[in-house]
Every structure is written in C-alpha cells, then in structure tokens.
Amino acid sequence: MKLINHKVALIFGVVICAFNTMYAQPGQKKKIDGVVAVVGDYVVLDSDIDKTFIELQAQGVEVKNISRCEMLGKLLEDKLYAHQAIQDSIVVTDGEVNEFMNSQLDQMVEQVGSVDKVIKFYNKKNLEDFKAYFFDVVKMNKLTTQMQRKIVDEVEITPEEVRTFFNAIPKEDLPVFGAEMEVAQIVVKPVISQAEKQKVIDKLKELKKEVQEGSSFFSRAVLYSEDPGSKSNGGYYKLTKKTQFVKEFKDVAFSLQEGEISDPFETEFGFHIIYLEKIRGQELDVRHILISPKVTNEALTDAKTKIETIRKRVVDGEISFAEAARQFSDEKETRNSGGILINPRTMESRFELTKMDPTLYSQVSELKDNEVSLPLVDEEQNGNKKYKLITVTNRFEEHTADFAKDYLKIKDLALKEKQIKAVAKWSEEKIKETYIKINGEYRDCAFTNNWLKK
C-alpha cells in the first residue's frame, strides 16, 4: 500500500490521521480537539495543525524544524484568503467542487484499482461519506487559490521598475543563469489515407449498432477503445463546458440527448463515438470509444522521403531552416515561428540545459550551431509515428545576469518581488479589519504577521 499512501495524499493535498479520543473525566472540563484560532467565519482546530504536519511528511518535506506556531501561521493565512474571497464575492460553485473531486477520485481509482480501496484508505464509510468530508476542504482550498490569484494578478510592473530592481542588486549578488539554448524543429507527419479513415469510421458505426441492439457500451469500450485514460473504465468521463477537452469532443457531447450515441467524428486524436449516459445539470456522464486510423508503411516511407528532401535543401543552403518550417512543417504550434520551440516551464524560447526534457536534450546535445539533425522518429499521443528535424538556433553560456540579454528573466524576478510585497500589504490590511482570535498557548507565538493585533 506504499503507492497509495504517497500518491493519494498528494492528489488531495490532505492526509487523514486517526487521533486518540480524549475523554473528559466526571466533573472536569477537558478540551476535545479544541479550537485554537478563529479567522472570520473559519476555525482552526488543534488537529488541523497535526494533519498539516502529516501532509507535509507524506510529500517528503522535512518538518522537524517547523514549529507548531509556524504551521498555525500558515493555516491562518489560508483561512484569511478563503474568508476574504467570500467577502469579495469570489464564487466557487458546488459544481466546480464536485467536478474537481470526481476528477481527483478518478485519478486515485486509476492508481489503486477501485473506489472501495480509496474509501478504505481514508477510513470512510462509503462514497457519500468520503465526498462529504472532502467537499468543504476542496471548496476552501479553491477559495484560497482564487483569492491569492486575484491579489497577484492585479500586480503589474513597468520597464522602469524592472530597471530599478536590477540596478538595486549589488554586483556580487547578481543571479547567475545556467547555460541555455534555443531549439527549432520541422515535423512531417505521414498522410493517413481516406481508406484507413473509412475503416475506422465503419468499425465505429458497427460498434454503435451493436450497442443499439443491446450490447454493452462499457464492454465495447474496454475491448476496442484506444484511449488509455478511460479504456479500463469503459470509456467513462465526467464533462462540463469548462473541462479541458478538445472543442470537437465537447461540441458533440453537448449536442446529444440522454441515452443517445453520436455518429463517428474526428479530433486530433482519431475518431470517436460518444454515448451520453446521464445529464446532471451542467455536468454530463459520457462514455466514448476512440480508434485512430493507422499509418501504412507506404505512408511512413513517403514521409521519410519528404523530410530527407527538406533536410537536403536546408543543408545545401537552398532554403533556411526557418523558411522550411514555415512552408513544410506539419506542426501548427511551431510552424509560423519558423519551428522555434517554446519551453512549457517558462513560456520562453530558451531551454536551460540542466532542466531540459531528457529526450530533447539527447537529441540536441551533440548538435553544433545551425547543424541539422538527421530525421528523427517521434510518436504522437495516438501512437502514430512522425518524422522531425531539429536544429539549435542559439546558445547562451552560463553567465551573470545581463539586463539586456536576460530582460525577461529579470522582469520575472522583479514581478515576483513586487507580488510578495503586495501580498504582505494586503495581509496587513485585511488582518486589521477581520475578526481574528488566537487561543491558549498559541497567544505566545511570535508570528510573522500581526495575528495577535498587538
């Protein structure tokens, strides 16, 4: 059960712990898991501090140097955010909370095998008991997150403020940025024939007919669907209009009547049919079957020939890599920028070598400046193969921060500092105007914030 202990704890960000019950002796008043603090409409229990310690330990965080006072301070901040979110009319709907809980529950079930195992791990009576417990926890966390986001999103920074921030850093304290590179690629995908597409469409129509004649959609999805995220669960998903699914999928799902099965339709992942199992207000229970048309060996050979021809033209100087990407690449995300890749961590074009994806690093680490790789085979999410060429368009050696060269990084550092100051100022103001009470021994804590209003 080690896997569930760690991963389930991380998913919800909370760990349930069995505490010894404290019984009061006759004639004596004795606190049972007493309230140690109140922030607005929220209370903090002594056990909340214990639970947070356990949560951090489950995530591998060393807690021996964290005091109970410091932990209470963090909990007080969370409650203040949540309380003020309500005052500012930030709305977290029951639907949003339930959608999040169901999504996380699906992930846990996928990891451990069944809902019963998850419920047993959390020592709950049944699914309703499990969801009832987590509902308030999830709602408060969402309110906290949205309030924090509102504070920092309102912070903007000007170029002059960035310059002032940079000039205020002593030369000996300037940050050092690691070696980086910019990478571009050209992608050629094999052309899937109409005949292969029609085979898939015909198969999905056949499966639809079988279900309409009495077969189980669940079993057909388990047997035939190629979606790894839902295949084992009979193709099941909960869906709202905010769910991060491709537009074509949501458009079809929300056009169906309860109990209806769609005709086959295409997305970037392949062809689908959807069965609308249940409508729950703005939430749908759907099942789907995904089948991707297969790339023939002939199409794969043609794609390789095409990319070899592109490479030769670039190497011979007939066309630049960037222009070849704009003209011939099948990857719409990078085509217009001349094939330049965007670092998903920073949303910049630079990749720090020590933090680069290992696969990408192995493909570019030996390339010289402007050298074009040999055709590389890559695989899409649906399992189909594609070819790509990679080149390094720019390199940046490890260096001390330079205002002109590293403006975006410096701007990010300056913005973070301004956001921290804005949060501190916000906290100071809201503490003054919010009802806060600290009880018992915790009144002796030396808090960073003025929770005791001294």
Side-chain angles (χ1 to χ4, degrees):
M1 289 292 289
K2 273 191 174 180
L3 182 65
I4 183 173
N5 288 1
H6 179 65
K7 292 197 172 182
V8 171
L10 287 178
I11 287 172
F12 264 115
V14 65
V15 178
I16 310 305
C17 179
F19 292 94
N20 293 329
T21 304
M22 298 171 65
Y23 294 96
Q25 297 298 321
Q28 292 183 332
K29 291 184 178 180
K30 195 167 184 180
K31 175 176 78 173
I32 302 178
D33 190 17
V35 174
V36 297
V38 179
V39 180
D41 296 327
Y42 290 94
V43 300
V44 180
L45 302 176
D46 213 19
S47 62
D48 292 333
I49 300 174
D50 295 302
K51 290 175 186 177
T52 308
F53 273 114
I54 296 168
E55 173 194 346
L56 292 175
Q57 287 176 314
Q59 297 177 32
V61 177
E62 180 56 64
V63 298
K64 66 180 180 181
N65 294 322
I66 301 176
S67 69
R68 293 186 71 81
C69 286
E70 290 170 322
M71 193 65 79
L72 175 59
K74 174 64 173 64
L75 292 174
L76 292 173
E77 288 178 16
D78 291 343
K79 305 296 185 186
L80 182 65
Y81 286 127
H83 170 75
Q84 194 58 44
I86 294 172
Q87 309 310 306
D88 288 4
S89 300
I90 292 176
V91 176
V92 174
T93 66
D94 290 356
E96 289 178 77
V97 176
N98 286 322
E99 180 185 349
F100 179 83
M101 283 200 302
N102 290 330
S103 172
Q104 301 308 305
L105 181 60
D106 288 344
Q107 290 184 40
M108 289 189 282
V109 169
E110 186 177 338
Q111 289 179 14
V112 303
S114 73
V115 172
D116 289 341
K117 287 183 180 179
V118 175
I119 293 170
K120 183 178 179 181
F121 171 75
Y122 281 103
N123 196 29
K124 297 299 172 186
K125 297 175 185 176
N126 49 43
L127 185 58
E128 288 70 27
D129 189 31
F130 173 88
K131 288 187 174 183
Y133 175 84
F134 277 113
F135 187 90
D136 290 337
V137 174
V138 171
K139 188 161 189 173
M140 197 202 77
N141 286 343
K142 281 189 167 290
L143 285 168
T144 297
T145 300
Q146 290 194 30
M147 190 67 244
Q148 290 172 326
R149 187 180 298 123
K150 181 182 178 182
I151 298 167
V152 299
D153 283 352
E154 291 174 354
V155 178
E156 297 179 345
I157 196 161
T158 66
E160 188 55 39
E161 287 177 306
V162 178
R163 184 178 292 279
T164 300
F165 167 82
F166 181 76
N167 290 338
I169 304 174
K171 285 188 177 181
E172 61 272 18
D173 293 334
L174 285 171
V176 175
F177 297 126
E180 298 173 310
M181 62 172 60
E182 289 179 343
V183 180
Q185 68 181 24
I186 296 170
V187 174
V188 173
K189 299 178 181 180
V191 177
I192 297 174
S193 69
Q194 191 57 45
E196 288 298 318
K197 290 184 178 181
Q198 193 59 50
K199 283 182 185 177
V200 172
I201 292 170
D202 291 343
K203 181 62 179 177
L204 288 170
K205 285 182 176 178
E206 178 187 326
L207 294 173
K208 176 181 177 179
K209 184 180 178 183
E210 289 176 3
V211 174
Q212 289 174 330
E213 292 175 350
S215 296
S216 163
F217 196 100
F218 181 101
S219 64
R220 291 297 175 269
V222 170
L223 290 171
Y224 298 105
S225 182
E226 296 173 4
D227 175 16
S230 68
K231 175 183 174 73
S232 63
N233 202 24
Y236 178 76
Y237 283 116
K238 283 191 182 295
L239 195 66
T240 71
K241 290 189 176 179
K242 292 184 179 180
T243 305
Q244 296 299 305
F245 277 38
V246 290
K247 181 179 183 298
E248 300 91 336
F249 191 96
K250 290 198 290 187
D251 285 348
V252 172
F254 280 93
S255 72
L256 297 174
Q257 299 296 315
E258 194 171 290
E260 187 180 0
I261 302 174
S262 74
D263 289 328
F265 65 96
E266 187 175 12
T267 71
E268 62 191 74
F269 302 102
F271 286 87
H272 313 247
I273 55 172
I274 297 177
Y275 167 50
L276 179 52
E277 192 171 78
K278 190 75 176 175
I279 299 175
R280 303 177 187 276
Q282 299 299 309
E283 185 178 78
L284 307 182
D285 289 352
V286 302
R287 296 188 185 275
H288 86 125
I289 296 173
L290 166 68
I291 302 178
S292 302
K294 299 302 175 278
V295 173
T296 63
N297 290 333
E298 181 182 2
L300 202 57
T301 300
D302 289 345
K304 186 177 182 183
T305 300
K306 180 180 177 180
I307 205 163
E308 286 173 341
T309 302
I310 295 170
R311 182 179 186 277
K312 186 175 187 306
R313 291 182 65 186
V314 174
V315 171
D316 290 349
E318 182 181 335
I319 188 172
S320 70
F321 192 97
E323 187 56 35
R326 281 188 281 267
Q327 286 191 34
F328 305 116
S329 182
D330 292 326
E331 186 173 66
K332 61 183 180 181
E333 295 85 358
T334 60
R335 184 168 54 219
N336 293 335
S337 65
I340 296 293
L341 294 179
I342 298 300
N343 186 338
R345 292 180 60 254
T346 63
M347 301 311 294
E348 294 182 52
S349 59
R350 296 186 188 183
F351 289 81
E352 188 171 340
L353 269 58
T354 57
K355 298 176 182 177
M356 186 179 280
D357 175 78
T359 300
L360 180 60
Y361 179 79
S362 69
Q363 293 170 342
V364 300
S365 59
E366 300 300 323
L367 290 177
K368 297 174 180 157
D369 289 348
N370 298 314
E371 180 184 358
V372 181
S373 72
L374 293 171
L376 301 166
V377 181
D378 206 354
E379 198 169 278
E380 296 190 275
Q381 287 183 312
N382 61 16
N384 283 336
K385 293 179 180 178
K386 61 184 179 183
Y387 286 98
K388 67 180 181 181
L389 303 173
I390 291 184
T391 189
V392 177
T393 59
N394 216 337
R395 294 180 194 272
F396 306 88
E397 299 303 324
E398 181 176 287
H399 62 282
T400 301
D402 177 276
F403 186 78
K405 291 180 181 178
D406 304 302
Y407 177 79
L408 290 177
K409 287 186 173 61
I410 294 164
K411 178 183 177 183
D412 188 52
L413 292 174
L415 179 60
K416 281 186 171 64
E417 181 184 79
K418 190 173 181 181
Q419 288 171 337
I420 289 170
K421 289 179 179 178
V423 170
K425 182 181 178 183
W426 179 92
S427 297
E428 182 181 354
E429 292 173 354
K430 297 306 175 186
I431 287 172
K432 287 179 183 177
E433 61 189 54
T434 304
Y435 174 76
I436 297 169
K437 184 177 181 182
I438 312 295
N439 295 326
E441 63 191 60
Y442 293 101
R443 293 190 59 80
D444 296 328
C445 290
F447 294 113
T448 302
N449 290 319
N450 186 26
W451 298 112
L452 296 169
K453 300 188 179 185
K454 292 181 178 178

